[in-house]
Amino acid sequence: MIDARAVVSPRAQLGEGVSVGAFAVIGPEVVIGARTTVGSHAVIEGPTRIGEDNQIFAFACIGGAPQDKKYKGEPTQLSIGDRNVFREFCTMNRGTASGRGLTSIGSDCLFMAYSHVAHDCAIGSKVILANCATMGGHVQIGDWVQLGGLSAIHQFCKVGAHAFVAGGAILTRDLPPYVMIAGNPAAPHSINSEGLKRRGFTPEQIRNLRTAYRILYRSELKLADAIVQLQELARDNTEVQPLLTFIDASTRSLVR
């Protein structure tokens, strides 16, 4: 299962059924779970822990040193869950000692060609980064988020679960759950209703979230006043609560 032309460190740990293609390089302190496939010319550096059933395509660079001038070679980490797909030339960097010391990626994600996850990012599960989507350091991405091709996320931004970032959008502030944005600078357009339907949200839940969106973005209320109305709506509609939780945790102000 390991091509004779691959270079695998004796300090790497490969699980049962792992396959490694020609000219791939796997460094020390790399742990790869069962049945994961590593394509030709892919490079995996450590300390990196990769779960089971992942697919790493040709020329992907996983676990490289952070692109941060403050980094001085500290043994920071990258942690990856299960069943992710990393397409050609995507780059996933480890954390920094001055940050979390860890870049983390959940499970069931798709990282298309040339996408980039920077140091200290925290990526949820079932996330999609389309071609050339990229993010700065310390970004937090919730579950089920989709980033369109050539989109970019500023460092330290947060993106809530089920949000949608259109192709070419430039996000410099925090994006609440469920919201779709487009443009440069990115501006809100609507609730990600189609994505929510696909994930089993009921028509009533989607109507409630549309109401929440109108309160937050179309009522011309100050944020403090909008929060009061959202709290009322959330009392009987639990799907609205993640919006309030996200707003409370926002550090870069909201896209609004």
Side-chain angles (χ1 to χ4, degrees):
M1 303 294 282
I2 300 177
D3 192 285
R5 293 162 293 180
V7 178
V8 180
S9 169
R11 291 168 54 195
Q13 300 177 43
L14 276 57
E16 183 180 356
V18 169
S19 66
V20 182
F23 307 109
V25 178
I26 299 176
E29 298 183 78
V30 172
V31 179
I32 301 178
R35 298 174 301 281
T36 291
T37 60
V38 180
S40 65
H41 298 88
V43 176
I44 306 176
E45 301 178 59
T48 292
R49 180 175 292 273
I50 300 172
E52 298 181 349
D53 298 298
N54 290 281
Q55 298 178 61
I56 300 171
F57 280 71
F59 297 99
C61 292
I62 309 295
Q67 299 174 61
D68 187 319
K69 293 180 71 175
K70 300 187 296 298
Y71 180 70
K72 304 301 180 185
E74 300 90 347
T76 55
Q77 301 179 53
L78 169 66
S79 176
I80 295 171
D82 304 323
R83 299 176 302 279
N84 297 289
V85 176
F86 300 91
R87 293 305 303 248
E88 297 81 357
F89 296 99
C90 68
T91 49
M92 310 285 137
N93 292 165
R94 301 193 312 274
T96 60
S98 58
R100 299 196 308 144
L102 171 70
T103 301
S104 58
I105 295 170
S107 297
D108 301 296
C109 300
L110 169 60
F111 299 92
M112 296 187 194
Y114 293 95
S115 58
H116 174 64
V117 174
H119 60 87
D120 301 292
C121 288
I123 312 299
S125 295
K126 303 183 188 302
V127 172
I128 297 175
L129 270 64
N131 302 85
C132 299
T134 189
M135 59 191 68
H138 311 275
V139 168
Q140 298 179 30
I141 305 287
D143 295 343
W144 293 104
V145 169
Q146 296 186 23
L147 273 61
L150 298 166
S151 60
I153 312 296
H154 192 280
Q155 61 190 36
F156 291 100
C157 282
K158 299 181 179 70
V159 179
H162 302 283
F164 185 95
V165 179
I170 308 296
L171 178 63
T172 60
R173 292 185 286 170
D174 292 342
L175 175 61
Y178 312 119
V179 176
M180 296 180 65
I181 58 165
N184 178 17
H189 281 257
S190 64
I191 287 292
N192 183 17
S193 56
E194 187 60 37
L196 297 177
K197 288 177 190 174
R198 294 175 183 176
R199 293 159 207 157
F201 281 68
T202 67
E204 181 181 3
Q205 288 175 318
I206 293 173
R207 282 196 301 271
N208 292 332
L209 293 172
R210 288 186 188 277
T211 300
Y213 179 87
R214 287 193 293 270
I215 292 169
L216 189 58
Y217 288 106
R218 298 290 181 257
S219 65
E220 299 186 358
L221 291 171
K222 292 181 179 179
L223 182 58
D225 297 328
I227 288 172
V228 172
Q229 291 199 18
L230 289 172
Q231 288 171 335
E232 290 238 352
L233 183 62
R235 284 196 186 101
D236 298 317
N237 305 287
T238 57
E239 63 276 7
V240 178
Q241 184 59 46
L243 275 169
L244 289 164
T245 302
F246 184 92
I247 292 169
D248 185 60
S250 175
T251 55
R252 288 190 56 83
S253 78
L254 303 181
V255 171
R256 197 160 183 252

